[in-house]
PDB file of all heavy atoms in Angstrom:
ATOM      1  N   TYR U  41      24.691   4.549  19.368  1.00 97.00           N
ATOM      2  CA  TYR U  41      23.604   3.608  19.696  1.00 97.00           C
ATOM      3  C   TYR U  41      22.896   3.957  21.013  1.00 97.00           C
ATOM      4  O   TYR U  41      22.284   3.117  21.630  1.00 97.00           O
ATOM      5  CB  TYR U  41      24.094   2.165  19.694  1.00 97.00           C
ATOM      6  CG  TYR U  41      24.633   1.782  18.328  1.00 97.00           C
ATOM      7  CD1 TYR U  41      25.972   1.952  18.020  1.00 97.00           C
ATOM      8  CD2 TYR U  41      23.771   1.302  17.355  1.00 97.00           C
ATOM      9  CE1 TYR U  41      26.458   1.620  16.757  1.00 97.00           C
ATOM     10  CE2 TYR U  41      24.244   0.969  16.102  1.00 97.00           C
ATOM     11  CZ  TYR U  41      25.584   1.132  15.800  1.00 97.00           C
ATOM     12  OH  TYR U  41      26.048   0.824  14.546  1.00 97.00           O
ATOM     13  N   ASN U  42      22.959   5.233  21.392  1.00 97.00           N
ATOM     14  CA  ASN U  42      22.248   5.706  22.565  1.00 97.00           C
ATOM     15  C   ASN U  42      20.795   5.984  22.175  1.00 97.00           C
ATOM     16  O   ASN U  42      20.478   7.047  21.628  1.00 97.00           O
ATOM     17  CB  ASN U  42      22.898   6.972  23.138  1.00 97.00           C
ATOM     18  CG  ASN U  42      22.155   7.524  24.320  1.00 97.00           C
ATOM     19  OD1 ASN U  42      21.210   6.938  24.818  1.00 97.00           O
ATOM     20  ND2 ASN U  42      22.592   8.692  24.782  1.00 97.00           N
ATOM     21  N   LEU U  43      19.914   5.042  22.480  1.00 97.00           N
ATOM     22  CA  LEU U  43      18.517   5.165  22.084  1.00 97.00           C
ATOM     23  C   LEU U  43      17.757   6.176  22.932  1.00 97.00           C
ATOM     24  O   LEU U  43      16.607   6.495  22.632  1.00 97.00           O
ATOM     25  CB  LEU U  43      17.836   3.800  22.145  1.00 97.00           C
ATOM     26  CG  LEU U  43      18.463   2.727  21.261  1.00 97.00           C
ATOM     27  CD1 LEU U  43      17.695   1.424  21.411  1.00 97.00           C
ATOM     28  CD2 LEU U  43      18.517   3.153  19.810  1.00 97.00           C
ATOM     29  N   LEU U  44      18.394   6.698  23.962  1.00 97.00           N
ATOM     30  CA  LEU U  44      17.753   7.679  24.827  1.00 97.00           C
ATOM     31  C   LEU U  44      18.160   9.119  24.489  1.00 97.00           C
ATOM     32  O   LEU U  44      17.750  10.057  25.179  1.00 97.00           O
ATOM     33  CB  LEU U  44      18.046   7.381  26.292  1.00 97.00           C
ATOM     34  CG  LEU U  44      17.489   6.061  26.808  1.00 97.00           C
ATOM     35  CD1 LEU U  44      17.924   5.840  28.242  1.00 97.00           C
ATOM     36  CD2 LEU U  44      15.978   6.029  26.686  1.00 97.00           C
ATOM     37  N   SER U  45      18.946   9.299  23.426  1.00 97.00           N
ATOM     38  CA  SER U  45      19.322  10.664  23.062  1.00 97.00           C
ATOM     39  C   SER U  45      18.080  11.410  22.594  1.00 97.00           C
ATOM     40  O   SER U  45      17.162  10.817  21.991  1.00 97.00           O
ATOM     41  CB  SER U  45      20.406  10.671  21.993  1.00 97.00           C
ATOM     42  OG  SER U  45      19.844  10.335  20.732  1.00 97.00           O
ATOM     43  N   PRO U  46      17.976  12.686  22.882  1.00 97.00           N
ATOM     44  CA  PRO U  46      16.782  13.442  22.534  1.00 97.00           C
ATOM     45  C   PRO U  46      16.398  13.387  21.052  1.00 97.00           C
ATOM     46  O   PRO U  46      15.220  13.292  20.720  1.00 97.00           O
ATOM     47  CB  PRO U  46      17.124  14.872  22.960  1.00 97.00           C
ATOM     48  CG  PRO U  46      18.170  14.712  24.018  1.00 97.00           C
ATOM     49  CD  PRO U  46      18.954  13.489  23.631  1.00 97.00           C
ATOM     50  N   GLU U  47      17.371  13.428  20.184  1.00 97.00           N
ATOM     51  CA  GLU U  47      17.070  13.413  18.749  1.00 97.00           C
ATOM     52  C   GLU U  47      16.529  12.057  18.317  1.00 97.00           C
ATOM     53  O   GLU U  47      15.612  11.970  17.505  1.00 97.00           O
ATOM     54  CB  GLU U  47      18.307  13.779  17.930  1.00 97.00           C
ATOM     55  CG  GLU U  47      17.972  14.122  16.508  1.00 97.00           C
ATOM     56  CD  GLU U  47      19.118  14.771  15.772  1.00 97.00           C
ATOM     57  OE1 GLU U  47      20.234  14.831  16.292  1.00 97.00           O
ATOM     58  OE2 GLU U  47      18.883  15.194  14.620  1.00 97.00           O
ATOM     59  N   VAL U  48      17.075  10.974  18.868  1.00 97.00           N
ATOM     60  CA  VAL U  48      16.568   9.624  18.564  1.00 97.00           C
ATOM     61  C   VAL U  48      15.130   9.491  19.048  1.00 97.00           C
ATOM     62  O   VAL U  48      14.259   9.001  18.328  1.00 97.00           O
ATOM     63  CB  VAL U  48      17.480   8.538  19.195  1.00 97.00           C
ATOM     64  CG1 VAL U  48      16.831   7.172  19.103  1.00 97.00           C
ATOM     65  CG2 VAL U  48      18.845   8.529  18.519  1.00 97.00           C
ATOM     66  N   ILE U  49      14.861   9.960  20.244  1.00 98.00           N
ATOM     67  CA  ILE U  49      13.514   9.874  20.799  1.00 98.00           C
ATOM     68  C   ILE U  49      12.544  10.715  19.966  1.00 98.00           C
ATOM     69  O   ILE U  49      11.439  10.262  19.631  1.00 98.00           O
ATOM     70  CB  ILE U  49      13.492  10.305  22.277  1.00 98.00           C
ATOM     71  CG1 ILE U  49      14.237   9.259  23.107  1.00 98.00           C
ATOM     72  CG2 ILE U  49      12.083  10.486  22.781  1.00 98.00           C
ATOM     73  CD1 ILE U  49      14.456   9.644  24.540  1.00 98.00           C
ATOM     74  N   ARG U  50      12.946  11.911  19.590  1.00 97.00           N
ATOM     75  CA  ARG U  50      12.070  12.788  18.798  1.00 97.00           C
ATOM     76  C   ARG U  50      11.697  12.143  17.455  1.00 97.00           C
ATOM     77  O   ARG U  50      10.521  12.114  17.074  1.00 97.00           O
ATOM     78  CB  ARG U  50      12.750  14.131  18.550  1.00 97.00           C
ATOM     79  CG  ARG U  50      11.857  15.139  17.830  1.00 97.00           C
ATOM     80  CD  ARG U  50      12.602  16.395  17.432  1.00 97.00           C
ATOM     81  NE  ARG U  50      13.681  16.169  16.475  1.00 97.00           N
ATOM     82  CZ  ARG U  50      13.498  15.929  15.169  1.00 97.00           C
ATOM     83  NH1 ARG U  50      12.304  15.846  14.674  1.00 97.00           N
ATOM     84  NH2 ARG U  50      14.536  15.745  14.378  1.00 97.00           N
ATOM     85  N   LEU U  51      12.690  11.607  16.761  1.00 97.00           N
ATOM     86  CA  LEU U  51      12.418  10.965  15.479  1.00 97.00           C
ATOM     87  C   LEU U  51      11.594   9.698  15.642  1.00 97.00           C
ATOM     88  O   LEU U  51      10.711   9.407  14.824  1.00 97.00           O
ATOM     89  CB  LEU U  51      13.725  10.643  14.748  1.00 97.00           C
ATOM     90  CG  LEU U  51      14.374  11.800  14.009  1.00 97.00           C
ATOM     91  CD1 LEU U  51      15.714  11.383  13.425  1.00 97.00           C
ATOM     92  CD2 LEU U  51      13.458  12.321  12.931  1.00 97.00           C
ATOM     93  N   SER U  52      11.840   8.955  16.687  1.00 97.00           N
ATOM     94  CA  SER U  52      11.064   7.748  16.958  1.00 97.00           C
ATOM     95  C   SER U  52       9.600   8.071  17.178  1.00 97.00           C
ATOM     96  O   SER U  52       8.702   7.396  16.657  1.00 97.00           O
ATOM     97  CB  SER U  52      11.625   7.004  18.172  1.00 97.00           C
ATOM     98  OG  SER U  52      12.920   6.535  17.919  1.00 97.00           O
ATOM     99  N   ILE U  53       9.353   9.127  17.933  1.00 97.00           N
ATOM    100  CA  ILE U  53       7.967   9.547  18.190  1.00 97.00           C
ATOM    101  C   ILE U  53       7.308  10.000  16.895  1.00 97.00           C
ATOM    102  O   ILE U  53       6.150   9.647  16.609  1.00 97.00           O
ATOM    103  CB  ILE U  53       7.931  10.651  19.258  1.00 97.00           C
ATOM    104  CG1 ILE U  53       8.306  10.074  20.617  1.00 97.00           C
ATOM    105  CG2 ILE U  53       6.558  11.322  19.302  1.00 97.00           C
ATOM    106  CD1 ILE U  53       8.535  11.118  21.696  1.00 97.00           C
TER     107      ILE U  53
END
Side-chain angles (χ1 to χ4, degrees):
Y41 299 91
N42 177 6
L43 301 180
L44 296 177
S45 75
E47 195 167 8
V48 169
I49 291 172
R50 185 188 63 76
L51 280 175
S52 295
I53 291 170

